[in-house]
Amino acid sequence: MKILTITLGLLLLLIQYPLWFGKGGWREVMNYRDALNTQIEKNIEGRAVNSQIKAEVVDLKTGLDEIEESARSDLGMIKEGEVFLKPWISLQIMFQSSFMVLLKNRTAHLNF
């Protein structure tokens, strides 16, 4: 009876070995599952990028807002009939620097 129990136990272990360590076993299944989860995450990121690009393409095809915005910001373009106003701070600096040049020129003439 003891020999039969040992033999059946060994047969059970031999049957279980491919399930745990063989080709298509649990270890390989877990590796594939990890690779699948990694690929799913990459696909989700790719879909987010794709949807953003699709939205930009649709916007470029249907509306001129995106083109106008990039022309204004990147190229400094203005529409016909618009007036471009320089910021007041830069005008003040420009007037101060030209005033200083005028003062220098006048004092140079006075030194003769």
Side-chain angles (χ1 to χ4, degrees):
M1 191 68 161
K2 222 178 195 186
I3 295 177
L4 181 64
T5 307
I6 293 173
T7 307
L8 288 175
L10 286 174
L11 284 174
L12 182 65
L13 288 176
L14 286 174
I15 291 172
Q16 290 289 316
Y17 179 81
L19 177 65
W20 292 99
F21 305 109
K23 186 176 180 181
W26 283 108
R27 213 177 254 181
E28 193 172 341
V29 168
M30 292 307 222
N31 289 338
Y32 285 140
R33 190 172 290 167
D34 291 339
L36 177 66
N37 288 335
T38 304
Q39 189 62 46
I40 287 172
E41 289 173 6
K42 287 181 183 178
N43 288 352
I44 290 171
E45 291 171 4
R47 285 188 184 116
V49 170
N50 285 347
S51 65
Q52 183 181 7
I53 292 172
K54 279 182 185 179
E56 288 178 14
V57 167
V58 167
D59 190 34
L60 287 172
K61 283 183 177 180
T62 59
L64 297 175
D65 294 337
E66 184 71 27
I67 297 170
E68 183 179 343
E69 180 183 335
S70 69
R72 287 173 181 269
S73 64
D74 298 340
L75 304 174
M77 300 180 86
I78 58 173
K79 282 184 181 178
E80 228 177 277
E82 283 185 336
V83 177
F84 178 72
L85 299 175
K86 229 174 185 177
W88 177 251
I89 294 172
S90 63
L91 286 174
Q92 282 180 327
I93 293 170
M94 185 178 71
F95 286 131
Q96 285 174 355
S97 62
S98 61
F99 182 70
M100 295 301 283
V101 170
L102 284 173
L103 282 178
K104 284 182 185 178
N105 288 341
R106 287 189 177 199
T107 55
H109 291 295
L110 293 176
N111 288 337
F112 284 120

